[in-house]
Amino acid sequence: MIKRRFYIETYGCQMNIYDSGVISEILTGQGHEPADCAAEADLILINTCSVRDRAERKVLTRLSEISATKKGRPDLLLGVVGCMAQRLGKKLTETWMKIDLVVGPDSYDTLGGIITGLTVERDPVVETTQDSECMYAHRPKTFDSVSAFVTIMRGCDNFCSYCIVPYVRGRERSRPLGDIIKEIKHLVELGVKEATLLGQNVNSYRDGKTGFAGLLEAVDAVEGLERIRFTTSHPKDLAPGVIERIRDLPGVCEHLHLPLQSGSDRILASMNRGYSYGDYRRIVNLARSAIPGIAITTDIMVGFPGETRSDHEATLRAMEEIAFESAFMFKYSAREGTHAAGLTDDVEEAEKVARLGQVIELENSIIDTKKQALLGKEVEILVEGESRRESGFLIGRTRKNWLAKLPQKGVSKGEVVVAEVTGVTRWMISCDGSVRKAGA
Ligand code: 5AD
Ligand code: SF4
């Protein structure tokens, strides 16, 4: 068997980062070795995202770049995994690019066997069978980071009209509670202090009688785990019990990522989101009154089919009213096969760009105001490691997920400290004053 040196490049969401870890473990288990960079690898896997056209174009550019280098490196194998592999399948092998394997998200277990039998002379292998029960575990031998993603469910059943995920990731299924806890305990033994629980809609997690609130309790009870985060919450399914657990469980961070998408009820209905702006507002009020200062972050999409100027203004008003701690903001991009792809994509590109510019500008000013208000306050920081930009400094995150920087003196990676905010920029908090260990 040829032992390969593999390198995985990851695009897209946190789920893909987790999956790349799973793939790496599968390949290492088969005797293949990870390479430090693409140039040193003889097997390059690109883990891809299909959520927007732009994400796909970026990957196609990268694939053609690598394909072009194959002339000078005849033994190099190139593979596509992830959502684009699922969506495009065999089509990816029918271009000028020489792609050797295409494997969808439900078939990573077959990767070991596929790669063992693969040589540059062979026809490409395409494996995109969908399996509505497929679930992976991740038990790495070593783990560098103090913060880990842990997938608690896969797939999605919501069918928001714009979204490709239910098609490429299949039906929603939850991972057994026992497996999740085992994985987190294993990660904690490797030095992990923070787990981010991942799912397309974590609020519909279920294992027998245990729902998401029960899962939070079980994870909070894992000894040695300092912090718990989770994403993504769907506003239509967020139960009051989850808000109570954020309030009451010491490990659960005071942060809720709650995609709004639009402030217009007409657009929300056309997106099939299952809530109105009023419903959304009520959840935010409930969370903020139970947990004062909780960070609420969101996703906003502009230029959905039929979005008028006044719909867009409703989104701006909603953003102003709620004042999100942070937002991911996107232009609508039609995805073939989704319900919205059948609607007329009638907001002109220049108008989409302008609307996106407006939401970004508004959100930036909200963040600036929130950051200013932090000056002089104490924050709790989990130290993630040394700053790559500034020597002598450490980087970490506050419970509300702000990125923070502090001097290295007497503090090390993995520690939870309390520090005073002495400076702020839009993307960073500085804590140059005194620092003490949390609980001290
Ligand atoms: N076009 C633009 N943005 C999209 N998203 C999902 N599908 C699309 C699409 N077709 C955004 C949504 C979602 C986030 C992960 O990506 O805002 O919450
Ligand atoms: Fe993640 Fe969705 Fe992109 Fe797939 S399509 S990588 S699930 S964001």
Side-chain angles (χ1 to χ4, degrees):
M1 181 191 126
I2 305 172
K3 297 267 187 244
R4 298 265 167 205
R5 297 203 68 206
F6 67 89
Y7 187 74
I8 309 172
E9 269 180 34
T10 309
Y11 295 81
C13 65
Q14 294 129 323
M15 196 77 83
N16 268 12
I17 298 176
Y18 179 87
D19 284 358
S20 289
V22 169
I23 295 171
S24 178
E25 212 180 308
I26 291 171
L27 296 185
T28 314
Q30 297 274 328
H32 304 291
E33 252 182 58
D36 289 334
C37 60
E40 287 175 11
D42 58 10
L43 166 65
I44 302 175
L45 294 177
I46 311 290
N47 195 356
T48 59
C49 174
S50 287
V51 81
R52 278 170 292 277
D53 185 50
R54 214 178 118 148
E56 290 204 345
R57 271 190 283 129
K58 207 157 122 189
V59 164
L60 290 173
T61 305
R62 183 65 184 133
L63 286 172
S64 53
E65 246 169 50
I66 300 172
S67 293
T69 68
K70 278 184 123 196
K71 280 201 196 90
R73 301 176 61 193
D75 58 343
L76 176 65
L77 294 174
L78 174 59
V80 182
V81 296
C83 297
M84 250 174 105
Q86 189 64 43
R87 197 178 86 76
L88 296 170
K90 193 159 170 278
K91 282 191 202 149
L92 283 167
T93 65
E94 293 167 347
T95 68
W96 69 269
M97 294 184 287
K98 176 116 186 34
I99 292 170
D100 303 284
L101 74 145
V102 176
V103 175
D106 289 350
S107 304
Y108 297 150
D109 283 339
T110 65
L111 266 172
I114 292 176
I115 286 162
T116 304
L118 206 63
T119 60
V120 274
E121 295 82 30
R122 292 277 298 269
D123 283 339
V125 178
V126 178
E127 178 54 76
T128 52
T129 312
Q130 285 195 298
D131 169 4
S132 60
E133 312 217 321
C134 167
M135 198 51 92
Y136 303 104
H138 184 36
R139 303 260 191 287
K141 291 208 169 58
T142 58
F143 201 80
D144 283 346
S145 173
V146 296
S147 180
F149 295 124
V150 176
T151 293
I152 61 163
M153 46 208 303
R154 296 179 78 87
C156 182
D157 285 349
N158 292 310
F159 289 93
C160 300
S161 64
Y162 49 77
C163 190
I164 195 73
V165 173
Y167 304 92
V168 289
R169 292 259 174 186
R171 297 288 56 75
E172 179 185 289
R173 61 267 184 189
S174 294
R175 204 170 158 196
L177 176 73
D179 277 7
I180 298 172
I181 299 300
K182 226 190 272 171
E183 183 162 308
I184 294 176
K185 284 185 173 162
H186 174 81
L187 290 165
V188 167
E189 276 170 26
L190 299 178
V192 165
K193 304 282 180 198
E194 175 180 87
T196 301
L197 311 179
L198 298 181
Q200 303 299 339
N201 179 3
V202 292
N203 302 101
S204 57
Y205 175 85
R206 181 140 300 278
D207 178 19
K209 289 208 177 89
T210 310
F212 187 58
L215 174 67
L216 285 177
E217 282 180 9
V219 176
D220 190 69
V222 173
E223 208 144 317
L225 186 70
E226 301 277 355
R227 285 182 174 183
I228 302 155
R229 300 185 185 278
F230 55 88
T231 192
T232 295
S233 288
H234 195 305
K236 77 177 169 56
D237 295 318
L238 182 69
V242 171
I243 294 176
E244 283 161 23
R245 296 322 187 278
I246 305 175
R247 183 192 62 198
D248 299 338
L249 297 172
V252 180
C253 290
E254 297 74 27
H255 172 204
L256 200 51
H257 185 67
L258 201 60
L260 169 65
Q261 312 297 0
S262 168
S264 152
D265 286 347
R266 208 174 58 82
I267 296 296
L268 286 172
S270 178
M271 288 176 164
N272 192 31
R273 289 290 288 170
Y275 56 85
S276 64
Y277 176 58
D279 299 331
Y280 186 95
R281 205 52 257 234
R282 272 188 287 282
I283 301 167
V284 169
N285 289 348
L286 196 70
R288 284 197 170 143
S289 57
I291 308 143
I294 186 174
I296 313 261
T297 58
T298 202
D299 294 349
I300 297 287
M301 193 192 304
V302 300
F304 187 77
E307 186 189 68
T308 61
R309 200 61 237 167
S310 99
D311 293 319
H312 174 60
E313 274 156 18
T315 300
L316 292 170
R317 267 199 311 280
M319 291 176 71
E320 217 157 353
E321 196 171 43
I322 294 177
F324 295 105
E325 266 66 17
S326 141
F328 295 111
M329 294 160 280
F330 311 104
K331 274 185 305 178
Y332 168 73
S333 132
R335 309 314 290 134
E336 200 187 324
T338 60
H339 179 77
L343 307 173
T344 314
D345 192 359
D346 54 359
V347 182
E348 301 229 338
E349 182 58 20
E351 182 60 19
K352 282 187 189 166
V353 172
R355 290 182 191 179
L356 183 63
Q358 286 171 0
V359 293
I360 291 175
E361 195 185 334
L362 173 59
E363 183 54 31
N364 283 345
S365 75
I366 293 169
I367 293 175
D368 290 346
T369 312
K370 298 225 169 206
K371 281 285 175 63
Q372 284 301 322
L374 285 172
L375 279 170
K377 300 249 163 65
E378 282 198 326
V379 286
E380 187 200 277
I381 301 167
L382 169 61
V383 180
E384 292 179 357
E386 287 175 29
S387 164
R388 269 188 240 140
R389 294 228 179 112
E390 264 179 282
S391 71
F393 282 88
L394 295 165
I395 291 290
R397 277 179 190 275
T398 71
R399 289 180 72 88
K400 290 171 192 161
N401 215 27
W402 300 114
L403 201 58
K405 179 180 91 173
L406 67 168
Q408 212 155 12
K409 297 177 281 187
V411 181
S412 42
K413 180 175 163 180
E415 276 182 335
V416 180
V417 297
V418 176
E420 187 192 329
V421 179
T422 51
V424 289
T425 63
R426 184 169 294 157
W427 306 121
M428 185 71 82
I429 286 174
S430 313
C431 301
D432 290 333
S434 66
V435 173
R436 63 185 154 82
K437 305 246 154 84

